[in-house]
Amino acid sequence: MDIPRSFTIRESTHRIHNPLDDAKLAVLGRALRPAPGWSVLDLACGSGEMLCTWARDHGTTGTGVDLSATFLASARARAAELGVADRVEFVHADASGHVADEPVDVAACVGATWIGDGVPGTVELLRRSLRPGGLLLIGHPFWRLDPPDQAAVEGSHATGRDDFLPLPDLLAQFGALGCDVVEMVLADQDSWDRYVAAQWLNTRRWLDENPEDELAPVLRAELTDAPVRYARYQREYLGWGVFALMDR
């Protein structure tokens, strides 16, 4: 049970597996003001940066669930580095359908709404772990600009225009699900650059070290095209943000 190896190659040095950089992640924590002792459940937690840094900075506790054994090893190492290994734990499992044993103060899925087959299902899944009055965190893409054609859609890693919504429509969707939007922190083009360009460097270094690997031709072709495709389409048209929600 694991995620595709190509993903762990691209993001082998990432601590945050989305375009929210460490400064914006810290902004999110300060904005939400989690109290010491709050419990956080992070589904599809990746390398656990949010859980670890919030435990250090705000005194929270938490559990992260992820399919990637590689990323969870990084998460445990990060927890030890920050001195919070006694406050966070990481579970190697499919986050789809995972429900906490006890209600938590914050239930999060930051960038992996596939675990609930989209935003509505992910919101409902997170609700099953949340205490009354707690916070839901959803990380999700949106269209910054309306893509003019199918090339722009596919260049932004979507299959169709309806895969994502414009930001006002995404906020309205949260409302239609019975949630108040109480905070949001959005990626910008610079934080997108840092996230995506690091994938290119990771891929190139892996290719140099593994020229005979069966994945090498695939990743070589990807790296050849990725920078131009990103600059032409994704950087211009695709936004991304973390949205804090409370049930009405």
Side-chain angles (χ1 to χ4, degrees):
M1 181 173 58
D2 212 326
I3 64 175
R5 190 161 61 101
S6 58
F7 191 85
T8 60
I9 291 169
R10 290 185 205 101
E11 304 207 359
S12 59
T13 65
H14 287 59
R15 294 205 310 263
I16 303 172
H17 300 281
N18 60 63
L20 209 69
D21 60 25
D22 53 0
K24 290 180 178 293
L25 186 62
V27 166
L28 178 65
R30 291 194 299 270
L32 297 177
R33 303 184 298 278
W38 272 22
S39 56
V40 182
L41 173 67
D42 191 358
L43 298 184
C45 66
S47 295
E49 187 72 359
M50 184 175 77
L51 286 173
C52 292
T53 56
W54 284 18
R56 177 196 64 190
D57 297 339
H58 304 288
T60 56
T61 64
T63 299
V65 182
D66 203 272
L67 273 174
S68 173
T70 300
F71 292 158
L72 290 182
S74 297
R76 294 184 182 106
R78 183 65 166 157
E81 175 189 357
L82 297 184
V84 296
D86 60 334
R87 279 180 270 162
V88 295
E89 64 173 343
F90 297 97
V91 178
H92 183 214
D94 185 350
S96 303
H98 183 94
V99 178
D101 293 334
E102 299 290 338
V104 299
D105 298 291
V106 181
C109 176
V110 181
T113 54
W114 54 266
I115 68 171
D117 294 322
V119 168
T122 301
V123 167
E124 186 55 38
L125 173 60
L126 293 175
R127 279 176 170 149
R128 294 168 62 191
S129 296
L130 192 67
R131 68 162 174 82
L135 288 167
L136 299 166
L137 295 184
I138 297 281
H140 199 65
F142 57 87
W143 293 120
R144 287 184 65 245
L145 300 172
D146 185 33
D149 50 36
Q150 186 61 20
V153 169
E154 294 179 3
S156 301
H157 296 284
T159 56
R161 191 184 303 267
D162 293 340
D163 285 3
F164 309 129
L165 297 171
L167 180 58
D169 294 349
L170 178 58
L171 299 177
Q173 182 183 40
F174 294 137
L177 294 170
C179 298
D180 287 325
V181 180
V182 297
E183 184 57 83
M184 66 180 187
V185 176
L186 305 183
D188 56 25
Q189 288 179 310
D190 181 66
S191 58
W192 264 118
D193 293 348
R194 302 282 58 75
Y195 171 58
V196 175
Q199 295 177 349
W200 308 336
L201 182 57
N202 290 338
T203 300
R204 173 53 195 265
R205 286 180 170 164
W206 181 88
L207 285 168
D208 288 346
E209 295 169 1
N210 300 274
E212 304 303 321
D213 191 283
E214 63 181 1
L215 278 179
V218 174
L219 293 181
R220 175 66 264 174
E222 178 184 290
L223 181 58
T224 298
D225 297 334
V228 172
R229 185 175 63 250
Y230 166 71
R232 180 171 291 147
Y233 299 121
Q234 183 178 341
R235 192 177 193 272
E236 295 302 312
Y237 295 104
L238 193 62
W240 199 91
V242 179
F243 304 91
L245 317 173
M246 296 181 71
D247 281 327
R248 291 175 180 159

